[in-house]
Amino acid sequence: MSTPAARDAEPTGAVPEATVATARRIHLSEDWAATVVGLALVALGLLSLLPEGLVAR
């Protein structure tokens, strides 16, 4: 059983502990996702892989 002083010293916050695994996780924002999708569409258009009706000329 812990004493009242020891109980007050224990961390009670909901902040998770930082580990190497959480630091190396890839975070992709909505802006970067839209940029990647847009560049992929441009590449497909330049390679003429998009159907004729999908892109107006």
Side-chain angles (χ1 to χ4, degrees):
M1 196 168 225
S2 63
T3 64
R7 221 181 356 223
D8 291 337
E10 293 175 1
T12 58
V15 178
E17 192 173 312
T19 63
V20 174
T22 58
R24 290 189 178 177
R25 208 174 352 180
I26 296 175
H27 298 284
L28 187 64
S29 71
E30 184 179 349
D31 294 332
W32 281 111
T35 301
V36 170
V37 170
L39 289 174
L41 287 173
V42 168
L44 289 174
L46 291 174
L47 294 172
S48 300
L49 297 175
L50 295 175
E52 287 278 333
L54 189 59
V55 180
R57 290 187 178 209

